[in-house]
Amino acid sequence: MRWYLPKRTLVLLILAQLSAVLPTWNQVGPVLVVLNLFCLAWCTGICLGRFGQPPRWLLVALALGGAVALALTLPGKGVYLAMVSLLVLGYSLKVLEIRASRDLYALVLFGLFLLATDFVRYQSMAMTLYLLLASLLQLAVLLSLLGPKGNLGLARRMGRMALLSLPLTLLLFLLLPRLSPLWQMPDAKSGTTGLSDTLSPGDFASLAQSTELAFRAELPWRPSADGLYWRALTLEDFDGRAWHQARFRQQEERDAPSLLAGPGRDWTLMMSPSPKRWLPVLEGSRPRSREQQVTRDNRVLARQPLLQTARFPLRLEDRPQRREEARVLALNRQLPAAGNGRSRALALSFRQRFGDDKALAQALNRHFATGFRYSLTPPPLGENAVDAFLFDTQVGFCGHYASAMAFMLRAAGIPARIVAGYQGGQFVPEGNFYALYQYDAHAWVEAWLPGQGWTRFDPTAQVAPERVDRGFSSLAASPQFRGDAGWFWQLKQQPALRWLRYQAALMDYRWSRWVLNYDGQRREQLLSRLLGTSDWLPAALLFGGLLLGALLLLHWWSNRRQAPAMTAAARLYLKGCKKMGLARLPGEGAQAYALRVAEHRPELAPLWNQLTGLYQQLRYGDQDPERLKALKRQVRALPRSATIAP
């Protein structure tokens, strides 16, 4: 049997399906995307009368082909992506099986469920608005088939339904925030932190041009550029080419204690989702709750990978670390037995000139002030990368400079390590917070100096001081840097686009703070302020009662709008009965009364029959004002009777 969809329903169905599948296109693979487009095209052909229903063998072939494609591409991508891919496959094939309205209902439910999975994965404000609109499109498919005629009427009905659902949505949000694990991103493999536990020159080149938000920080004070170093990771193991996190540090991360901060200045970190536990914090920061851990190298960790945006209360202490284990200092002096001979010789020459470790480290830091150049696209380095950088190319970014300085410090006998994190940040005065993006990723050096402990040195500041003083984005104004950066990144740095990104960042911050971070603790705080109790059950009863009362009031008001027309019609009808001089019997209907009128006053039967028809249409049909006026004219036309017969 062939079942045609109205043209308006067909257009809405195509838009609804494309909007539901679009967020998954980069995850499910090209095979399912092509399959989805093929099914939509075939469905369109059916409704236009160009194609017939697909044969069963074709449906079976499409299903088997999609299943094979999933089997080949899904392994290792996680349960969540497998579930979404199966949904997309079934959602696409179901389009070819529409033969009755019930199939359309099932297809809409399919689409709404697929959109629900996207609500779990995408939590930004822009994607939330998009998914809400996509959900309304799904409902519009049904309304176009069953609802009012005309696009304007359909839009009004959709708007009315959205407004009616708004109170219940707000109530559920306020009382049942974050139904864990439903409102979480279950596949941590898709997140990025911008940092890796391995650094070799070249790792930061791709990060530097990424405008993805890394985190936000709410600081009650405005630190100088020197105070905006956000530590995330220490790299202490050097194999001659790359720096790695020491293995014992990884063990420490598993057993790190929860140390609460002492006196200091409070600030808050709002971290974007990340598969790692590292928290980029200001140097000397400690947690204010036991939800975070502190490692021996003064890093702060979350207890679990961050599956969603989270806030961490922290405190900045002025308590430098002046003690270190001997094994840690020994590790931070180690270098490979061979390689980079010229760099070793240069470091020894510095040692001969400077007996004091601090003076030597400062001299090495100043060594990069002349002859070196900052670039995101440095030339490739050879086997002895440090030698090639220091004596041949002298062009690089923060990873090159930090790696070279740490190597020479160790060659001179000074314990040194690389710190990976972020530097700077964009201050947003309207929200009083700093926003740091992946292009703010940075690497610097910490050297162990007697009497001072671990001391920070940033050789990149010697080469590109504007990178440290004004942030990475300030380099876009440099002609030298413009030659390195991609045209798209440069376009995004234009003033108008930067202003738009700035406003978008501000709105996203407020979304993250007031919506995404609204959890059980905040609910209790809100209920305590409003009701004096943090128990959600009395609040649920109170708000549920208010919602029920609002719905009853809305129902009464809706009926009240219809009542005047109906009451006026009844009043006119009774007035007509009175003018006829024929009293109505108990329980007598309008048709029975009309028969008695025909018996007693046959000359008025045609006029009364018309009056009765108008009354019944007003009583049981649409409350048409014109029809009410016609009834009034009919009643006026009736001759008045002197007596009322039983």
Side-chain angles (χ1 to χ4, degrees), residues 216-223 230 259-270 281-289 292 311-318 432-434 513:
R216 298 184 180 94
E218 300 171 358
L219 300 179
W221 70 97
R222 292 289 303 276
W230 314 84
L259 300 177
L260 293 179
R265 290 181 288 181
D266 294 344
W267 65 284
T268 303
L269 173 71
M270 186 182 293
V281 300
L282 293 174
E283 296 173 343
S285 294
R286 292 291 182 93
R288 282 187 281 150
S289 75
Q292 299 92 54
R311 288 167 60 88
F312 297 96
L314 298 159
R315 181 167 297 159
L316 182 64
E317 296 179 337
D318 185 14
N432 196 28
F433 66 89
Y434 286 87
R513 178 168 183 176

Side-chain angles (χ1 to χ4, degrees), residues 242-272:
W243 295 81
H244 308 271
Q245 187 183 27
R247 289 186 178 179
F248 73 91
R249 296 294 186 196
Q250 299 175 11
Q251 179 64 34
E252 284 182 358
E253 288 185 356
R254 289 190 285 269
D255 305 327
S258 298
L259 300 177
L260 293 179
R265 290 181 288 181
D266 294 344
W267 65 284
T268 303
L269 173 71
M270 186 182 293
M271 193 71 189
S272 299

Side-chain angles (χ1 to χ4, degrees), residues 241-531:
R241 289 287 301 177
W243 295 81
H244 308 271
Q245 187 183 27
R247 289 186 178 179
F248 73 91
R249 296 294 186 196
Q250 299 175 11
Q251 179 64 34
E252 284 182 358
E253 288 185 356
R254 289 190 285 269
D255 305 327
S258 298
L259 300 177
L260 293 179
R265 290 181 288 181
D266 294 344
W267 65 284
T268 303
L269 173 71
M270 186 182 293
M271 193 71 189
S272 299
S274 167
K276 303 297 184 182
R277 299 167 53 203
W278 313 322
L279 299 180
V281 300
L282 293 174
E283 296 173 343
S285 294
R286 292 291 182 93
R288 282 187 281 150
S289 75
R290 297 192 180 278
E291 296 302 317
Q292 299 92 54
Q293 298 168 291
V294 181
T295 62
R296 292 177 182 273
D297 53 345
N298 286 324
R299 294 180 297 116
V300 180
L301 307 173
R303 287 196 175 276
Q304 300 292 335
L306 304 177
L307 303 181
Q308 56 194 10
T309 301
R311 288 167 60 88
F312 297 96
L314 298 159
R315 181 167 297 159
L316 182 64
E317 296 179 337
D318 185 14
R319 189 173 58 180
Q321 180 183 3
R322 303 190 186 281
R323 293 183 178 180
E324 188 55 277
E325 298 177 68
R327 63 163 184 159
V328 174
L329 296 178
L331 172 67
N332 284 278
R333 289 192 184 95
Q334 290 182 2
L335 287 175
N340 297 300
R342 289 184 290 173
S343 300
R344 295 173 192 264
L346 178 63
L348 291 177
S349 69
F350 272 88
R351 170 53 74 191
Q352 292 173 357
R353 291 164 52 195
F354 300 96
D356 180 67
D357 286 356
K358 180 179 180 181
L360 190 153
Q362 292 173 341
L364 278 178
N365 197 34
R366 291 193 300 269
H367 176 73
F368 297 98
T370 56
F372 290 85
R373 185 168 67 86
Y374 187 91
S375 173
L376 291 179
T377 55
L381 304 175
E383 181 67 23
N384 295 312
V386 179
D387 276 1
F389 170 69
L390 285 176
F391 299 99
D392 300 331
T393 64
Q394 297 187 331
V395 176
F397 45 86
C398 58
H400 293 78
Y401 294 100
S403 176
M405 183 170 178
F407 181 91
M408 288 199 294
L409 284 170
R410 290 191 178 188
I414 300 176
R417 63 190 180 192
I418 290 179
V419 180
Y422 298 84
Q423 194 277 327
Q426 179 184 6
F427 181 68
V428 182
E430 289 84 353
N432 196 28
F433 66 89
Y434 286 87
L436 285 99
Y437 300 86
Q438 296 296 357
Y439 60 67
D440 291 313
H442 194 50
W444 59 94
V445 177
E446 284 183 348
W448 180 263
L449 300 179
Q452 296 187 18
W454 290 108
T455 305
R456 169 171 29 98
F457 293 93
D458 189 357
T460 307
Q462 302 293 324
V463 183
E466 66 274 20
R467 164 68 179 84
V468 176
D469 294 337
R470 290 179 291 156
F472 182 84
S473 58
S474 65
L475 293 177
S478 169
Q480 175 182 329
F481 177 75
R482 284 201 293 267
D484 290 341
W487 66 271
F488 185 64
W489 195 91
Q490 293 182 35
L491 178 64
K492 289 191 291 185
Q493 300 307 312
Q494 296 303 312
L497 294 181
R498 288 187 62 182
W499 181 84
L500 289 176
R501 289 198 299 116
Y502 177 84
Q503 296 301 323
L506 183 60
M507 294 176 62
D508 188 64
Y509 164 75
R510 289 169 176 163
W511 170 263
S512 300
R513 178 168 183 176
W514 299 114
V515 178
L516 297 183
N517 278 284
Y518 183 76
D519 52 15
Q521 184 178 3
R522 292 200 165 210
R523 179 193 63 190
E524 293 178 358
Q525 294 173 353
L526 177 64
L527 294 180
S528 298
R529 284 200 298 268
L530 294 178
L531 305 175

Side-chain angles (χ1 to χ4, degrees), residues 176-253:
L176 302 173
R178 293 186 181 250
L179 291 175
S180 180
L182 292 180
W183 201 10
Q184 289 184 348
M185 185 176 65
D187 185 9
K189 295 180 179 179
S190 60
T192 57
T193 64
L195 296 176
S196 168
D197 55 1
T198 298
L199 169 66
S200 59
D203 281 357
F204 283 83
S206 58
L207 289 173
Q209 299 181 58
S210 169
T211 55
E212 183 182 355
L213 179 69
F215 63 93
R216 298 184 180 94
E218 300 171 358
L219 300 179
W221 70 97
R222 292 289 303 276
S224 63
D226 188 63
L228 291 174
Y229 281 82
W230 314 84
R231 296 173 89 252
L233 187 66
T234 57
L235 305 175
E236 300 171 288
D237 190 2
F238 183 58
D239 61 5
R241 289 287 301 177
W243 295 81
H244 308 271
Q245 187 183 27
R247 289 186 178 179
F248 73 91
R249 296 294 186 196
Q250 299 175 11
Q251 179 64 34
E252 284 182 358
E253 288 185 356

